[in-house]
Structure formats: structure tokens, C-alpha cells
Amino acid sequence: MSKATAASKALAAAFVVLTGSVIAGIITMVIFYKTEISPMNPTPRPTTPPTTTSLPPVFRLPRDLIPQSYEIFLQPDFYTKIIEVVNVTSPNQTMLFTGNSTVSFHCVQGTRAIYLHSDGLAISEPVVVNKNNSKKVAVSSTKNHEYPSNFLEIQLDEALEQGVTYSLFLAFEGHIRQSPYAMFASKYAEGAPAYEGDQDGERFLVATILEPTYARKVFPCFDEPDLKAVFHVTIVHRSETQALGNAEVKESNGIDDDWKVTYFHPTPKMSTYLFAFVVSEFTSTEPSAPSDRVGIETYARPNATRAGHAQYATDVAAKILQFYESHFEINYQQQKLTQIALPDLRAEAMENWGLVTYKEGRLLYEEGASSPLHKEDIASIIAHELAHQWFGNLVTMKWWNDIWLNEGFATYFSIFAVDQVEPSFQLKEWHIMSNLHRAFEDDALASSHPLSPPLEDVQWPAEIEGMFDSITYFKGAAVLRMLADIVSEGTFTKGIKMYLSDFKYGSADQDDLWGHIQKAVDQDGGRTDVAKVMNTWTKQIGYPVITINTTNGEIYQKHFLFNDTYESNLWWELPIRVMSNAPKSSPIWLRSNNKVQKDEFISKKGEWILANVNCTGYFRVNYNSENWERLLTQLETDPDKIPLMNRGQLVDDAFNLARAELVDVTLALNSTRFLRDERDFLPWKLAAKNLEYFVLMFDRSEVNGPMQAYLRQQVKGLYDFFRNYTDSSTVPENHSLQHTQILAIEVACSNGLPECVEMATGMFANWMASNGTNHIPPILRSVIYCQALAAGGREEWDFAWDKFQSSTDTAERDQLGQALACTKKIWLLNRYLEYTLDPEKIRRMDVGPTISSIARNVAGQALAWNFIRAHWTYVQWDSVMLVDAVTRRFSTPFELTELERFGEDYHLGAATMAVVQAVEQTRVNIQWVSENKDGVLQWFESETAS
Ligand SMILES: *[C@@H]1O[C@H](CO)[C@@H](O)[C@H](O)[C@H]1NC(C)=O
Ligand SMILES: *[C@@H]1O[C@H](CO)[C@@H](O)[C@H](O)[C@H]1NC(C)=O
Ligand SMILES: *[C@@H]1O[C@H](CO)[C@@H](O)[C@H](O)[C@H]1NC(C)=O
Ligand SMILES: *[C@@H]1O[C@H](CO)[C@@H](O)[C@H](O)[C@H]1NC(C)=O
Ligand SMILES: *[C@@H]1O[C@H](CO)[C@@H](O)[C@H](O)[C@H]1NC(C)=O
Ligand SMILES: [Zn+2]
């Protein structure tokens, strides 16, 4: 599955901050922890799972029966349009599906019971047949266990025999869901009215998303990732629709006027969670073939396809697929690759083998309406999902505790793929850093989890869901990058190829990966003990900060935690690359938590020393104050002597060390002085991101005035640098410069640089005066809309709302939806919050992102906090995202008490962990503010005094 790309997420974050207003929103927002405990299924997870080891099994299926293939018939009974409207509020939609399946399995150990998974399906009498002699085996009883096991237990009159293949037939019936998971229906507006009174041209489709444990809600199956099988699928569907599946269509015939049947070719041998189908009236781009072997098509709403919005996705997918095929030296294993843009999905995208599903906003590109920068998001998410066709689909983790083997690799390789196929983006370094910092952020809390936790910590569906977090995605990618650096890129790639080729169509765990990289290391004459080094990074939580004293050459490591009252003796096997004026090439290893002394670290003739060159290591670095001063002086005088990534990292380390109280907060602030003359995106971006914490902690206090004055002063040069472009509503060619220009406007306007506010309101007024015909260039829209609405009032808001409602164009709607949360007027924000309760105004899928955007606005945060408590059941689906958004400014004992009371009084479900983390973070914030407020105020005042 996919999270939003690092860039968009972090961009959103920084916007927010510097403004105290909001840009994070519908496209850039992400369902971060996709966990959902459905209100329909509120069974709490037992705090101590039962511990019996004899039958019945506790949480894993027994391994006595191994599935080989499924033959599946499914018939979703829904209408693509509602023809007979009983009345307006209760359309006559059936929302049922029926089906049957025959699973063939091999008996490797005699047993009288069959266990598989089934959840929420009405199952008919099962039939078990011995495939050797075609004789039936009588069933004595069946029992469907409840959540969390969801086992379907079938007791037999006689034992199944070892070595024999059996089949199990089951007919079943289930519900098509309205929320986008398992098998669900989605609604979209399209086309001409279908009947009298059909004003929106409302249409329905049915799709699936089954990762991690929802296949059992669609058909009874052995729903564990290593129990792979071949799927022979047949879909019966309405005649006006088309069915898409993992594999190619073999044949599609009409049954009668209403129904059609589509038979698919067998899938490759694959895990149940990768099963998918879609039944819709969507149409596709012309297939584009990277070779004769694979046809790539992208499906979307007919209008979107007709307008060419799916073309970029097809073109870039073809290039990316080709890149992976040559990089891994293993071909994509199917003859077709279908991508589809769905109106609704509970993840940003899902990598189903051969049928990759995306949220519409993440896949479609509208020439003239989408920001050109949106291409980066599209390319990144496609690159992520296509990497899964190898990492996840071809080779799958044995169990969900190693899900990072899917997500870490997909995240890691997507950056390289995009850089290869779209070289003009020039953002590889930024994407790497941005991912690294997302992992750093969450992994600095004592409540973090190991990248690869023990099996017993990841048993039940809720625990499995919890694994889809930033640690899995971004720490996963970061430790892979570190490993590639340690063993060398060439050796790493060699090991990866062996890993993919040896485990294809099978499953692997983390030790298998280490084993194969080790093989490559040994072949290439390396000496690294891969498992020994890497297990220190994947099997324990957190990461270290190393401290280098350049006076005496002493160096040591320590677990880096924001909350330093937490005692930790963890240590890591870590390689340190350092440079001074001349780079030193081979790394120096630190292998304990003892202090060691190295002459290399003594600075000669007062030179600075810089460690973790190009940030390949997953750790932070602290220095003695003399070395810090020399580094910051270098930045202010001749920054190019320090590699770009490290210019950003120094700022990031300084701020985070200050946050953990390892250095003084003034050191962090001093590290932003050089920005006055900095024109590169990465350092500016990281400074903006880090100042976010200051803004969140202080934008409701008297620090805000001097802080804004300082930021105006720093950003003026950058703003002026782009002024010729901005004032003439244009942008430079290079994507990296475009990002910088937008950031400059964002920082300048949100801190009240008068020429910027004037420019934004002017551009918006011009657009209003022309009644929307005089368009703002797409790339500047987000920032101009938001800034103009922040500076404006009701007139601007209503105009934007009007455009939001009437726009048929997704990109424009998303930009406006986010900008509407930027206003400073409380009553407008309140009204916008109320609108989220009305699906006619704000689509259900946009509720969480909309409220989050409002919460990120300093003027809207308290409103949003009250709102989610008042409507907790309604916003459950997005509870994790919302808890995160509303608690970010919490820094007073009163807020802590409120949050704790909330934790006690509400049924938290999936948000339980988010609340625990928010409580911990609030405590940290309270202490930090009380210790630093005076110093920070003084610093900003003195910097802006002259
Ligand atoms: C529409 O149908 C619902 C559910 O059957 C019913 O409660 C409601 O009264 C109906 N409304 C009208 C206007 O007939
Ligand atoms: C709508 O519901 C009515 C009453 O349940 C039923 O008779 C009718 O066939 C349904 N119409 C459609 C199109 O399903
Ligand atoms: C399974 O369902 C399909 C489609 O409805 C049907 O044609 C077939 O007869 C069913 N199989 C059995 C054994 O009932
Ligand atoms: C889709 O296209 C049709 C025909 O071109 C048009 O009438 C309709 O308004 C469009 N619908 C949407 C939602 O864009
Ligand atoms: C660095 O080493 C010098 C000399 O031993 C010592 O005086 C100083 O306190 C050390 N600084 C830090 C930050 O450890
Ligand atoms: Zn993924």
C-alpha cells in the first residue's frame, strides 16, 4: 500500500507551520495509519490472547493443509445508476454479493478439521472432495469463530490423509460495503442525467482492497500471506459494466439483458491480500507497451479518460516498469498491468498484482489545471506500487511482522525509479531526506516499535494494521540505504537480485534478506557481518545520536529520545563517514556504547569536522560547541564547502538536539542565520520544517510577533530572488526551483511580508473580478488561494466555496478544499466544520483531511478539537489522523488533562495508540515550552532589534 509521498506530506507540514494557516489537505493529506476498527465490528481485542498451543489454533492457521488454487465465482449485485428511486434519501441499491469458491489444498499432515478464514460471510453447507478418488468426505460440523481469529472451522467425519489433495466447495453471500475496504461500492458523478431528477449523474462501481486481512470478507480463504495460490476467477456483473481482475480477461459473454459473465486467466501464484477486482463503467487509455510482453492501461471515469487525464499515469508507468525490469533483471510476471483511478480507497493506492488501484487524486493529471509539481506525486506513487510487483507480489514477507520488506523496499526503490525516468525533477536528495526525517520523528519516541518486531507482537488484525506506519515505510527505506552504503551499491544490488530470484513466488523473512546480501558481500570479498550489523537497526526501537568531541577525539553513541528521562542502554553497530576539508573515505565503526577515542576526530588547525557525509547513516550527530561554531561559520561564509544534504541535516540535527535538550535552543536558532543568503530548496525546506515546532509551540503566544519579524527578514532575499517570476505569474523551468519559489511565497506571505500579501490578494482579486476566467497558473494556485483566503474574509471564502462546489476538476477542487481551511475567521471555520457532516457538501472520504486542515490552522485548532469530540463516531474512520492533527499544539497542563480525559471517556478504537503518543508528546511540549520560551523570545527579539 502507499502513503502519500514524503514530499507532499512534508511540504504540507512546513506550509502549515510557517503560516499557522493551512495547506495540508485533500491530496497531500494521507491516511497515515490506515488502521480502522470498524464501528460495525467493535469487538475489542483481548489484552492477553489465549495461549493454548493445541487445537483449536490460536491466531495462525495450522500448516497441515496447504492451499494450491482457488476457483472463485463472484457476483456483486448493485446498480451502476439508480433507476427506480423509492425516495431521495433511500435509493434502491441492493449492496449484496453472492459467490462460491472451490479451494484445492494439499494435506501434509492428517487432520479431521479444516481451518481457514471467513469474516461476515453467510456460508452454505460445505462439500469436501478427495481429488484422488473424487469421493466426498462427510462434514460433521462447521463453526465460524468471531473476531479476532475469524476462523471457519470445518470438522469432518473422517481424517484427511497425508499426501492427498482435497477440494473444499463453499457457497457464500456477503455485503458490499459503503466504506472503502474489503468489497465496497463507490459513488461518483459523471455524465448526463440517467433519469428524471438525476442531477449529478450519480454512478456506482464496486472494487476491492484486501490488504492486510480483508480477503476473508470477500471469500473464504487461507488468509495468510505465505499461503499463496493460483486464482481462477469468474465475475458475473451488470451488462453495462466491465470487470477487471488481476489477470487478463479470457472471455466475456452476455448471459441475459441484465448480466454478463467474465472469465479471467489464472493469476500467478500469489497471496490472498493481493486479490482484486473492479466492476465499473470506466474506460481506459490506449494500452502502452514497454515491450511486446506487457500491455499497460489506465482506467478512469469516462470523462477523465476522454480528457486525457490518465495519459501521464500510463506513460510514466511504462517507463518505470522498464526501469525495474532491467534493474532487478527479472521481468514483470504478467502480460498486462492495469491501473485504475477510484473515487475512494482506504489507502492512497494498493499494489494488487496486475490491477493496481489508486485514489483518483493521486493518479490523474490534468494539463492546464494540475500543478506541474503534481507529476512528482503521481510518478512517486506509481513507482512505489510498481516496486511492489517485485517486493511484495513476487516475493512476499512470511508474516506481517516483516511488512517492512514490502514497504521499505517499495519506498526505497521508488525514489531511484523516479529519478531515472524523470531526471528533470531533480529532487532525489530531497525525497531521501524527507523520508529519513519522517522516520526520525516517530522513532525518537519511547513508544516506537522495532522495524521487525517479534512474531508474537503482531498477531491480530488490529496489530497487523498498526504496522503500516512511518517506521515501516521510512525507517525501512533508510536502513536499506544505509546497508547499500555499507556494503556498496553494487554488492547490494547483486544481493537483491539473488533474493528476488531465489524467493520468487514464495515468501521470505528478514533473515533471508540478510543471508542473500551476505552472499553477495562474501562473493565480492567484503567483510561486513550483515545480520550482526543490521539486526541492531531492525530489532530494536529508535536510533542513536553520536557525539564527537573534536578537542580530544572522543566519540560515543546514545539512544536519541525526545524525552530524555527515559533510560536506555541500547547501542548500534554504526559506521561513521567523516570529512573535514578533504573527505575521508572509509568509515570508522562504532560498536558499543562506550566512549572511544580516535585521532581522526581531533580537528587539526581549528578546522571543522563533519560526520555522516550525505546522511547515509540512520543517526544524528552532535559535536562540541567549538566544532558547531566552525560549521555554522562555514555555512554563513561559504556554504558550498558543505554537501547539500548535510547543509540541511546540520539544521535538522541542531533543532532536534535542542528539542531533546542535548544542545541549547539558541544553537538551533543560530543554524538558521545562513538562510538569509541560501537559495537552495533543501536547507530552506528543512529549516521551515523545523521551525514548525517553534511555530506550533509559540504561535498562540507573545513570541509570535518577533518570530514572524525574524522570518520576514530571512525570507526577503529568497522572495526577491523569485520576484520577477512571481509578479508576472510565472515560474522557472526546474522543479527544484519551482518548489523553492512556492516555499518563498508561503513563508513570506504567512509571516506578513507586505509585498507578498499584496501580491496574493491582488492575484486572487483579479481572478474574482473576472469571475474565475482569469486563471492563476496551476502551480501557484495552492499557495495563492490559501494566502488570499487567510488575508481575506467572507467574500473571498464564499467565492472559493462556490468554485469548490461547482468545479468538476479534481485538482482544482483539492486545492480549493485545502485553501478554504486557511481563513482566520472563526465563524467561517466553524461553518466549514459543520459542512463536513453533510456528504452533499464534503465527500465522506474528504472529511478527515478537511478537519485536519482546519486543525492545523492556529485559528481552527481549538474548534476542530471540540468538533471531533462532539462527532467522534462520525469521524472514527479518520480518528488517527485527527488525533494527530488536533493535538499538535498541545503544550499546557490544561490541554494535557483534557486529552487524558478524552482517552478515558471515549471509545478510541484504532486511535488508542495515537492518543498514547499524543499524551507523551504533550508532556514533552509542556516541559519544553516552560524551559525555552524566555530564551527563544529573547533570541528573536535580539535578531530583529536592529
Ligand atoms: C424515505 O425512505 C426512508 C426509509 O425507507 C423513510 O424513513 C423516509 O420516510 C422516506 N422519505 C420520504 C420523503 O418518503
Ligand atoms: C426496488 O425495491 C422494490 C421494493 O423492495 C423492488 O420491488 C424493486 O424491484 C426494486 N427495484 C430495483 C431496480 O431493484
Ligand atoms: C457457483 O456460482 C456460479 C455463478 O453464479 C454458478 O454458475 C455455479 O453453478 C456455482 N457453482 C456451484 C457448484 O454451485
Ligand atoms: C461528463 O461529460 C459529459 C459529456 O461530455 C458532460 O455532459 C458531463 O457534464 C461531464 N460530467 C462531469 C462530472 O464532468
Ligand atoms: C571535549 O574535550 C575537552 C578536552 O578533553 C573537554 O574539556 C570538553 O569538555 C569536551 N567537550 C564535550 C562537549 O564533551
Ligand atoms: Zn506500499
Side-chain angles (χ1 to χ4, degrees):
M1 279 192 273
S2 189
K3 297 175 163 299
T5 61
S8 56
K9 175 80 177 184
L11 254 135
F15 279 163
V16 175
V17 179
L18 286 177
T19 53
S21 65
V22 186
I23 295 216
I26 292 146
I27 315 185
T28 49
M29 283 300 316
V30 192
I31 298 189
F32 208 69
Y33 303 93
K34 282 166 277 207
T35 312
E36 154 270 344
I37 299 290
S38 57
M40 305 142 249
N41 191 0
T43 323
R45 163 182 132 214
T47 39
T48 35
T51 51
T52 70
T53 49
S54 56
L55 285 175
V58 181
F59 76 99
R60 294 290 296 273
L61 294 174
R63 287 304 189 265
D64 41 18
L65 306 174
I66 306 297
Q68 326 246 275
S69 69
Y70 294 83
E71 194 170 337
I72 296 176
F73 289 85
L74 286 167
Q75 177 166 12
D77 187 6
F78 74 103
Y79 295 98
T80 54
K81 42 187 174 270
I82 313 296
I83 303 157
E84 291 176 69
V85 181
V86 171
N87 73 30
V88 178
T89 51
S90 75
N92 205 16
Q93 189 63 284
T94 41
M95 303 292 271
L96 284 173
F97 68 92
T98 52
N100 61 59
S101 73
T102 308
V103 52
S104 300
F105 53 85
H106 195 67
C107 177
V108 295
Q109 185 167 359
T111 174
R112 285 184 61 156
I114 301 170
Y115 283 93
L116 67 169
H117 291 99
S118 174
D119 181 7
L121 299 172
I123 303 268
S124 79
E125 287 300 303
V127 181
V128 179
V129 174
N130 178 327
K131 292 186 79 168
N132 288 14
N133 57 18
S134 304
K135 284 202 181 128
K136 281 192 188 172
V137 181
V139 170
S140 53
S141 70
T142 64
K143 179 179 179 198
N144 208 158
H145 298 256
E146 298 201 329
Y147 182 90
S149 88
N150 293 129
F151 287 144
L152 181 63
E153 176 184 350
I154 299 172
Q155 292 289 345
L156 305 167
D157 280 354
E158 56 191 272
L160 302 180
E161 289 168 46
Q162 187 178 335
V164 175
T165 303
Y166 295 87
S167 70
L168 164 66
F169 171 85
L170 294 159
F172 51 86
E173 219 178 277
H175 284 277
I176 301 172
R177 279 152 217 283
Q178 289 175 7
S179 301
Y181 74 106
M183 189 193 302
F184 63 93
S186 271
K187 200 161 79 166
Y188 60 99
E190 174 89 52
Y195 54 88
E196 213 172 322
D198 171 19
Q199 267 150 21
D200 309 332
E202 203 171 71
R203 295 291 180 276
F204 294 83
L205 61 77
V206 161
T208 56
I209 178 165
L210 306 185
E211 189 178 22
T213 55
Y214 296 125
R216 62 192 67 171
K217 290 179 189 278
V218 176
F219 55 95
C221 55
F222 294 80
D223 198 8
E224 295 189 4
D226 64 326
L227 296 174
K228 295 188 175 189
V230 172
F231 294 79
H232 304 261
V233 183
T234 305
I235 308 277
V236 179
H237 52 103
R238 298 277 177 195
S239 12
E240 71 271 22
T241 60
Q242 158 160 231
L244 301 169
N246 295 95
E248 292 152 284
V249 171
K250 188 157 56 183
E251 211 187 312
S252 187
N253 310 314
I255 300 175
D256 54 28
D257 283 353
D258 291 335
W259 297 98
K260 213 157 104 179
V261 56
T262 299
Y263 304 92
F264 292 92
H265 282 284
T267 67
K269 192 176 173 202
M270 66 179 198
S271 307
T272 46
Y273 77 88
L274 293 169
F275 179 95
F277 76 90
V278 178
V279 171
S280 73
E281 296 177 294
F282 280 15
T283 56
S284 81
T285 53
E286 285 298 309
S288 131
S291 66
D292 293 341
R293 263 185 317 100
V294 188
I296 298 179
E297 299 175 295
T298 305
Y299 279 78
R301 288 179 288 106
N303 278 18
T305 304
R306 220 176 359 249
H309 296 170
Q311 196 56 49
Y312 179 70
T314 301
D315 297 344
V316 80
K319 291 192 243 171
I320 291 168
L321 201 71
Q322 209 161 27
F323 167 75
Y324 286 142
E325 287 195 334
S326 65
H327 193 72
F328 302 141
E329 290 176 1
I330 296 181
N331 283 341
Y332 173 68
Q333 299 289 304
Q334 294 209 64
Q335 263 120 58
K336 66 104 181 176
L337 173 68
T338 310
Q339 309 189 94
I340 184 163
L342 296 174
D344 235 351
L345 202 64
R346 72 185 278 269
E348 295 298 304
M350 178 63 211
E351 67 265 20
N352 317 299
W353 208 343
L355 178 57
V356 186
T357 49
Y358 300 85
K359 268 191 187 159
E360 183 175 300
R362 299 306 309 271
L363 197 66
L364 301 184
Y365 184 79
E366 302 161 45
E367 211 63 60
S370 305
S371 159
L373 299 178
H374 187 41
K375 282 189 176 171
E376 288 158 27
D377 287 346
I378 297 171
S380 298
I381 196 162
I382 291 177
H384 180 104
E385 303 311 325
L386 297 197
H388 276 313
Q389 307 300 311
W390 284 263
F391 292 96
N393 301 9
L394 187 63
V395 178
T396 312
M397 70 280 148
K398 280 194 178 128
W399 182 247
W400 299 106
N401 65 321
D402 274 334
I403 182 65
W404 83 271
L405 294 177
N406 279 10
E407 301 303 346
F409 271 114
T411 306
Y412 175 78
F413 278 116
S414 66
I415 293 178
F416 291 92
V418 173
D419 193 54
Q420 286 295 313
V421 305
E422 291 285 18
S424 72
F425 289 178
Q426 303 260 319
L427 285 156
K428 180 171 152 188
E429 284 88 0
W430 163 242
H431 283 289
I432 290 171
M433 292 295 271
S434 160
N435 286 349
L436 176 68
H437 293 144
R438 288 173 75 179
F440 271 171
E441 177 79 16
D442 289 351
D443 212 11
L445 297 172
S447 54
S448 184
H449 67 81
L451 193 51
S452 178
L455 274 174
E456 55 274 20
D457 289 357
V458 187
Q459 301 186 358
W460 306 120
E463 291 167 330
I464 294 168
E465 292 275 354
M467 289 298 292
F468 289 82
D469 65 2
S470 58
I471 301 295
T472 295
Y473 284 73
F474 305 117
K475 184 177 185 176
V479 303
L480 288 172
R481 180 165 179 260
M482 179 162 70
L483 176 58
D485 182 62
I486 292 170
V487 303
S488 91
E489 199 89 40
T491 303
F492 179 74
T493 308
K494 186 174 184 177
I496 292 305
K497 285 180 193 163
M498 291 193 281
Y499 167 83
L500 286 173
S501 138
D502 286 358
F503 293 102
K504 65 181 172 205
Y505 297 111
S507 308
D509 61 20
Q510 177 176 284
D511 288 337
D512 295 323
L513 175 65
W514 300 157
H516 279 66
I517 305 282
Q518 189 68 55
K519 222 189 273 180
V521 168
D522 296 346
Q523 281 177 15
D524 291 355
R527 290 211 304 270
T528 311
D529 183 337
V530 175
K532 184 156 170 271
V533 171
M534 295 312 291
N535 284 340
T536 65
W537 299 95
T538 59
K539 293 199 169 174
Q540 44 190 17
I541 66 162
Y543 57 93
V545 50
I546 63 166
T547 304
I548 298 176
N549 188 341
T550 61
T551 315
N552 57 11
E554 276 181 357
I555 174 168
Y556 65 93
Q557 60 170 292
K558 178 171 169 294
H559 187 176
F560 180 78
L561 289 162
F562 288 136
N563 184 350
D564 66 354
T565 60
Y566 182 87
E567 287 296 323
S568 167
N569 294 315
L570 300 183
W571 59 272
W572 290 260
E573 296 245 354
L574 64 89
I576 306 166
R577 278 187 206 284
V578 295
M579 63 179 282
S580 55
N581 283 352
K584 297 180 180 154
S585 60
S586 60
I588 292 150
W589 284 85
L590 198 55
R591 294 199 151 101
S592 76
N593 53 0
N594 298 327
K595 213 171 240 186
V596 295
Q597 195 276 330
K598 303 264 182 193
D599 288 343
E600 290 92 327
F601 293 146
I602 298 177
S603 88
K604 284 126 198 128
K605 298 175 276 154
E607 283 167 354
W608 47 262
I609 282 181
L610 177 77
N612 203 5
V613 178
N614 287 330
C615 314
T616 50
Y618 185 67
F619 52 82
R620 296 194 179 279
V621 188
N622 192 5
Y623 306 94
N624 52 319
S625 53
E626 294 80 5
N627 197 60
W628 268 117
E629 264 162 44
R630 287 181 203 129
L631 284 166
L632 296 187
T633 306
Q634 182 70 59
L635 282 176
E636 284 174 58
T637 50
D638 185 5
D640 291 338
K641 286 258 158 49
I642 296 182
L644 177 63
M645 287 168 109
N646 290 94
R647 293 216 295 279
Q649 190 57 40
L650 283 168
V651 175
D652 195 73
D653 280 344
F655 273 87
N656 282 282
L657 294 169
R659 198 169 150 188
E661 308 193 332
L662 296 173
V663 300
D664 197 87
V665 72
T666 52
L667 172 71
L669 292 168
N670 287 342
S671 81
T672 65
R673 281 196 183 124
F674 78 102
L675 293 175
R676 193 185 291 238
D677 299 312
E678 174 70 62
R679 300 291 176 260
D680 255 303
F681 179 64
L682 202 146
W684 255 107
K685 187 69 202 175
L686 286 175
K689 177 174 162 284
N690 278 292
L691 284 166
E692 172 175 5
Y693 186 66
F694 285 63
V695 175
L696 288 172
M697 293 302 107
F698 296 130
D699 67 359
R700 301 178 293 174
S701 80
E702 72 269 29
V703 180
N704 200 43
M707 181 163 68
Q708 290 205 326
Y710 174 72
L711 288 170
R712 281 197 296 274
Q713 179 179 302
Q714 292 300 89
V715 81
K716 193 170 181 340
L718 193 69
Y719 183 80
D720 287 343
F721 183 74
F722 289 103
R723 201 151 175 181
N724 285 344
Y725 289 105
T726 309
D727 286 352
S728 57
S729 295
T730 57
V731 296
E733 290 290 317
N734 172 311
H735 276 216
S736 178
L737 285 174
Q738 293 173 6
H739 278 293
T740 322
Q741 181 189 6
I742 292 168
L743 183 61
I745 297 174
E746 178 58 40
V747 177
C749 276
S750 58
N751 289 291
L753 191 71
E755 52 267 46
C756 182
V757 177
E758 204 177 300
M759 177 278 300
T761 45
M763 234 187 254
F764 193 87
N766 196 352
W767 184 51
M768 273 173 76
S770 72
N771 195 23
T773 53
N774 214 342
H775 291 295
I776 297 165
I779 194 170
L780 295 178
R781 278 182 201 167
S782 278
V783 60
I784 299 298
Y785 289 169
C786 179
Q787 296 310 328
L789 287 176
R794 177 183 190 157
E795 211 184 326
E796 287 80 6
W797 202 94
D798 285 346
F799 183 78
W801 173 252
D802 219 48
K803 291 283 164 215
F804 170 77
Q805 290 242 291
S806 61
S807 176
T808 53
D809 146 354
T810 321
E812 179 73 351
R813 271 182 69 90
D814 286 346
Q815 286 159 349
L816 286 165
Q818 293 163 39
L820 288 166
C822 295
T823 180
K824 299 289 171 203
K825 302 272 182 293
I826 303 292
W827 74 271
L828 286 173
L829 290 167
N830 257 328
R831 193 176 64 175
Y832 197 26
L833 280 170
E834 292 296 329
Y835 285 177
T836 63
L837 298 174
D838 179 356
E840 297 296 313
K841 291 198 163 71
I842 304 287
R843 290 177 302 182
R844 197 63 216 235
M845 67 187 284
D846 296 333
V847 168
T850 304
I851 302 172
S852 298
S853 303
I854 295 169
R856 290 186 161 87
N857 180 347
V858 61
Q861 183 246 326
L863 309 177
W865 173 221
N866 290 336
F867 187 83
I868 68 161
R869 284 180 293 176
H871 302 283
W872 185 239
T873 317
Y874 188 76
V875 302
Q876 275 273 315
W877 186 267
D878 297 304
S879 57
V880 173
M881 173 204 293
L882 290 170
V883 166
D884 183 56
V886 296
T887 60
R888 299 181 63 177
R889 283 188 176 79
F890 282 9
S891 50
T892 65
F894 176 71
E895 284 163 331
L896 178 62
T897 310
E898 275 197 315
L899 182 58
E900 285 172 334
R901 190 172 310 142
F902 172 68
E904 287 156 17
D905 293 352
Y906 284 68
H907 173 70
L908 299 179
T912 306
M913 201 58 214
V915 171
V916 170
Q917 286 173 347
V919 166
E920 186 185 343
Q921 187 60 51
T922 304
R923 291 215 175 91
V924 171
N925 295 347
I926 291 170
Q927 194 183 346
W928 189 86
V929 168
S930 78
E931 285 166 9
N932 291 298
K933 192 170 167 188
D934 295 344
V936 170
L937 180 60
Q938 255 172 36
W939 191 91
F940 281 124
E941 277 172 344
S942 73
E943 288 294 308
T944 49
S946 49

